[in-house]
PDB file of all heavy atoms in Angstrom:
ATOM      1  N   GLY A 109     -72.694 196.028 -58.338  1.00 93.00           N
ATOM      2  CA  GLY A 109     -71.453 195.360 -58.888  1.00 93.00           C
ATOM      3  C   GLY A 109     -71.913 194.100 -59.622  1.00 93.00           C
ATOM      4  O   GLY A 109     -73.066 193.655 -59.498  1.00 93.00           O
ATOM      5  N   ASP A 110     -71.009 193.446 -60.366  1.00 92.00           N
ATOM      6  CA  ASP A 110     -71.411 192.435 -61.298  1.00 92.00           C
ATOM      7  C   ASP A 110     -71.157 190.954 -60.782  1.00 92.00           C
ATOM      8  O   ASP A 110     -71.104 190.080 -61.521  1.00 92.00           O
ATOM      9  CB  ASP A 110     -70.809 192.649 -62.633  1.00 92.00           C
ATOM     10  CG  ASP A 110     -69.345 192.599 -62.685  1.00 92.00           C
ATOM     11  OD1 ASP A 110     -68.734 192.269 -61.609  1.00 92.00           O
ATOM     12  OD2 ASP A 110     -68.722 192.891 -63.719  1.00 92.00           O
ATOM     13  N   LYS A 111     -70.813 190.932 -59.513  1.00 92.00           N
ATOM     14  CA  LYS A 111     -70.392 189.515 -59.049  1.00 92.00           C
ATOM     15  C   LYS A 111     -71.481 188.474 -59.098  1.00 92.00           C
ATOM     16  O   LYS A 111     -71.104 187.316 -59.211  1.00 92.00           O
ATOM     17  CB  LYS A 111     -69.553 189.561 -57.713  1.00 92.00           C
ATOM     18  CG  LYS A 111     -70.460 189.877 -56.542  1.00 92.00           C
ATOM     19  CD  LYS A 111     -69.534 189.653 -55.210  1.00 92.00           C
ATOM     20  CE  LYS A 111     -70.241 189.781 -53.969  1.00 92.00           C
ATOM     21  NZ  LYS A 111     -70.845 191.049 -53.601  1.00 92.00           N
ATOM     22  N   HIS A 112     -72.777 188.894 -59.020  1.00 93.00           N
ATOM     23  CA  HIS A 112     -73.773 187.868 -59.158  1.00 93.00           C
ATOM     24  C   HIS A 112     -74.380 187.853 -60.461  1.00 93.00           C
ATOM     25  O   HIS A 112     -75.432 187.281 -60.746  1.00 93.00           O
ATOM     26  CB  HIS A 112     -74.893 188.067 -58.225  1.00 93.00           C
ATOM     27  CG  HIS A 112     -74.565 188.258 -56.734  1.00 93.00           C
ATOM     28  ND1 HIS A 112     -74.001 187.219 -56.074  1.00 93.00           N
ATOM     29  CD2 HIS A 112     -74.525 189.292 -55.905  1.00 93.00           C
ATOM     30  CE1 HIS A 112     -73.796 187.621 -54.789  1.00 93.00           C
ATOM     31  NE2 HIS A 112     -74.055 188.922 -54.680  1.00 93.00           N
ATOM     32  N   ALA A 113     -73.708 188.568 -61.484  1.00 96.00           N
ATOM     33  CA  ALA A 113     -74.430 188.869 -62.753  1.00 96.00           C
ATOM     34  C   ALA A 113     -74.877 187.688 -63.527  1.00 96.00           C
ATOM     35  O   ALA A 113     -76.049 187.598 -64.019  1.00 96.00           O
ATOM     36  CB  ALA A 113     -73.504 189.758 -63.587  1.00 96.00           C
ATOM     37  N   ASP A 114     -74.023 186.650 -63.626  1.00 96.00           N
ATOM     38  CA  ASP A 114     -74.316 185.457 -64.440  1.00 96.00           C
ATOM     39  C   ASP A 114     -75.477 184.658 -63.874  1.00 96.00           C
ATOM     40  O   ASP A 114     -76.418 184.361 -64.517  1.00 96.00           O
ATOM     41  CB  ASP A 114     -73.067 184.534 -64.513  1.00 96.00           C
ATOM     42  CG  ASP A 114     -72.017 185.153 -65.396  1.00 96.00           C
ATOM     43  OD1 ASP A 114     -72.323 186.088 -66.151  1.00 96.00           O
ATOM     44  OD2 ASP A 114     -70.892 184.660 -65.348  1.00 96.00           O
ATOM     45  N   GLU A 115     -75.347 184.402 -62.551  1.00 95.00           N
ATOM     46  CA  GLU A 115     -76.468 183.709 -61.857  1.00 95.00           C
ATOM     47  C   GLU A 115     -77.777 184.493 -61.962  1.00 95.00           C
ATOM     48  O   GLU A 115     -78.751 183.915 -62.278  1.00 95.00           O
ATOM     49  CB  GLU A 115     -76.031 183.644 -60.399  1.00 95.00           C
ATOM     50  CG  GLU A 115     -76.969 183.105 -59.429  1.00 95.00           C
ATOM     51  CD  GLU A 115     -76.468 183.266 -57.930  1.00 95.00           C
ATOM     52  OE1 GLU A 115     -75.299 183.590 -57.744  1.00 95.00           O
ATOM     53  OE2 GLU A 115     -77.377 183.144 -57.059  1.00 95.00           O
ATOM     54  N   ASP A 116     -77.759 185.802 -61.776  1.00 95.00           N
ATOM     55  CA  ASP A 116     -78.938 186.601 -61.736  1.00 95.00           C
ATOM     56  C   ASP A 116     -79.506 186.594 -63.183  1.00 95.00           C
ATOM     57  O   ASP A 116     -80.804 186.603 -63.361  1.00 95.00           O
ATOM     58  CB  ASP A 116     -78.731 187.996 -61.210  1.00 95.00           C
ATOM     59  CG  ASP A 116     -78.571 187.967 -59.686  1.00 95.00           C
ATOM     60  OD1 ASP A 116     -78.664 186.797 -59.129  1.00 95.00           O
ATOM     61  OD2 ASP A 116     -78.218 188.996 -59.096  1.00 95.00           O
ATOM     62  N   MET A 117     -78.664 186.641 -64.217  1.00 96.00           N
ATOM     63  CA  MET A 117     -79.087 186.748 -65.547  1.00 96.00           C
ATOM     64  C   MET A 117     -79.820 185.418 -65.937  1.00 96.00           C
ATOM     65  O   MET A 117     -80.977 185.408 -66.499  1.00 96.00           O
ATOM     66  CB  MET A 117     -78.016 186.991 -66.523  1.00 96.00           C
ATOM     67  CG  MET A 117     -78.491 187.597 -67.743  1.00 96.00           C
ATOM     68  SD  MET A 117     -77.325 187.995 -68.934  1.00 96.00           S
ATOM     69  CE  MET A 117     -76.451 189.500 -68.219  1.00 96.00           C
ATOM     70  N   GLN A 118     -79.333 184.281 -65.392  1.00 96.00           N
ATOM     71  CA  GLN A 118     -80.003 182.985 -65.602  1.00 96.00           C
ATOM     72  C   GLN A 118     -81.342 182.996 -65.019  1.00 96.00           C
ATOM     73  O   GLN A 118     -82.381 182.448 -65.531  1.00 96.00           O
ATOM     74  CB  GLN A 118     -79.095 181.818 -65.123  1.00 96.00           C
ATOM     75  CG  GLN A 118     -77.837 181.623 -65.835  1.00 96.00           C
ATOM     76  CD  GLN A 118     -78.148 181.602 -67.404  1.00 96.00           C
ATOM     77  OE1 GLN A 118     -79.016 181.046 -67.956  1.00 96.00           O
ATOM     78  NE2 GLN A 118     -77.233 182.345 -68.127  1.00 96.00           N
ATOM     79  N   ARG A 119     -81.409 183.581 -63.823  1.00 92.00           N
ATOM     80  CA  ARG A 119     -82.706 183.649 -63.116  1.00 92.00           C
ATOM     81  C   ARG A 119     -83.709 184.508 -63.852  1.00 92.00           C
ATOM     82  O   ARG A 119     -84.884 184.159 -63.942  1.00 92.00           O
ATOM     83  CB  ARG A 119     -82.495 184.286 -61.650  1.00 92.00           C
ATOM     84  CG  ARG A 119     -83.570 184.060 -60.686  1.00 92.00           C
ATOM     85  CD  ARG A 119     -83.201 184.629 -59.281  1.00 92.00           C
ATOM     86  NE  ARG A 119     -84.186 185.694 -58.900  1.00 92.00           N
ATOM     87  CZ  ARG A 119     -85.479 185.422 -58.686  1.00 92.00           C
ATOM     88  NH1 ARG A 119     -86.026 184.303 -58.951  1.00 92.00           N
ATOM     89  NH2 ARG A 119     -86.229 186.389 -58.330  1.00 92.00           N
ATOM     90  N   MET A 120     -83.294 185.542 -64.445  1.00 94.00           N
ATOM     91  CA  MET A 120     -84.167 186.430 -65.220  1.00 94.00           C
ATOM     92  C   MET A 120     -84.659 185.662 -66.414  1.00 94.00           C
ATOM     93  O   MET A 120     -85.761 185.858 -66.868  1.00 94.00           O
ATOM     94  CB  MET A 120     -83.468 187.787 -65.678  1.00 94.00           C
ATOM     95  CG  MET A 120     -83.236 188.723 -64.506  1.00 94.00           C
ATOM     96  SD  MET A 120     -84.567 188.998 -63.475  1.00 94.00           S
ATOM     97  CE  MET A 120     -83.954 188.488 -61.922  1.00 94.00           C
ATOM     98  N   PHE A 121     -83.741 184.922 -67.061  1.00 96.00           N
ATOM     99  CA  PHE A 121     -84.163 184.156 -68.176  1.00 96.00           C
ATOM    100  C   PHE A 121     -85.224 183.046 -67.730  1.00 96.00           C
ATOM    101  O   PHE A 121     -86.032 182.704 -68.690  1.00 96.00           O
ATOM    102  CB  PHE A 121     -82.893 183.529 -68.901  1.00 96.00           C
ATOM    103  CG  PHE A 121     -82.044 184.546 -69.585  1.00 96.00           C
ATOM    104  CD1 PHE A 121     -80.735 184.285 -69.743  1.00 96.00           C
ATOM    105  CD2 PHE A 121     -82.582 185.716 -69.994  1.00 96.00           C
ATOM    106  CE1 PHE A 121     -79.910 185.184 -70.451  1.00 96.00           C
ATOM    107  CE2 PHE A 121     -81.736 186.697 -70.587  1.00 96.00           C
ATOM    108  CZ  PHE A 121     -80.393 186.424 -70.781  1.00 96.00           C
ATOM    109  N   ALA A 122     -85.039 182.516 -66.645  1.00 93.00           N
ATOM    110  CA  ALA A 122     -86.051 181.568 -66.110  1.00 93.00           C
ATOM    111  C   ALA A 122     -87.410 182.222 -65.952  1.00 93.00           C
ATOM    112  O   ALA A 122     -88.501 181.701 -66.213  1.00 93.00           O
ATOM    113  CB  ALA A 122     -85.501 180.769 -64.908  1.00 93.00           C
ATOM    114  N   LEU A 123     -87.339 183.411 -65.373  1.00 90.00           N
ATOM    115  CA  LEU A 123     -88.549 184.176 -64.974  1.00 90.00           C
ATOM    116  C   LEU A 123     -89.262 184.650 -66.271  1.00 90.00           C
ATOM    117  O   LEU A 123     -90.457 184.663 -66.413  1.00 90.00           O
ATOM    118  CB  LEU A 123     -88.063 185.347 -64.119  1.00 90.00           C
ATOM    119  CG  LEU A 123     -89.054 185.907 -63.066  1.00 90.00           C
ATOM    120  CD1 LEU A 123     -89.626 184.879 -62.211  1.00 90.00           C
ATOM    121  CD2 LEU A 123     -88.334 186.957 -62.220  1.00 90.00           C
ATOM    122  N   PHE A 124     -88.463 185.139 -67.242  1.00 92.00           N
ATOM    123  CA  PHE A 124     -88.902 185.651 -68.527  1.00 92.00           C
ATOM    124  C   PHE A 124     -88.233 184.905 -69.715  1.00 92.00           C
ATOM    125  O   PHE A 124     -87.317 185.438 -70.282  1.00 92.00           O
ATOM    126  CB  PHE A 124     -88.552 187.118 -68.678  1.00 92.00           C
ATOM    127  CG  PHE A 124     -89.230 188.024 -67.645  1.00 92.00           C
ATOM    128  CD1 PHE A 124     -88.437 188.518 -66.582  1.00 92.00           C
ATOM    129  CD2 PHE A 124     -90.560 188.418 -67.635  1.00 92.00           C
ATOM    130  CE1 PHE A 124     -88.938 189.307 -65.581  1.00 92.00           C
ATOM    131  CE2 PHE A 124     -91.074 189.198 -66.676  1.00 92.00           C
ATOM    132  CZ  PHE A 124     -90.324 189.693 -65.655  1.00 92.00           C
TER     133      PHE A 124
END
Side-chain angles (χ1 to χ4, degrees):
D110 62 6
K111 72 173 187 288
H112 307 293
D114 289 343
E115 176 192 344
D116 289 355
M117 206 177 285
Q118 292 313 317
R119 194 174 121 64
M120 291 311 123
F121 290 157
L123 211 50
F124 299 104

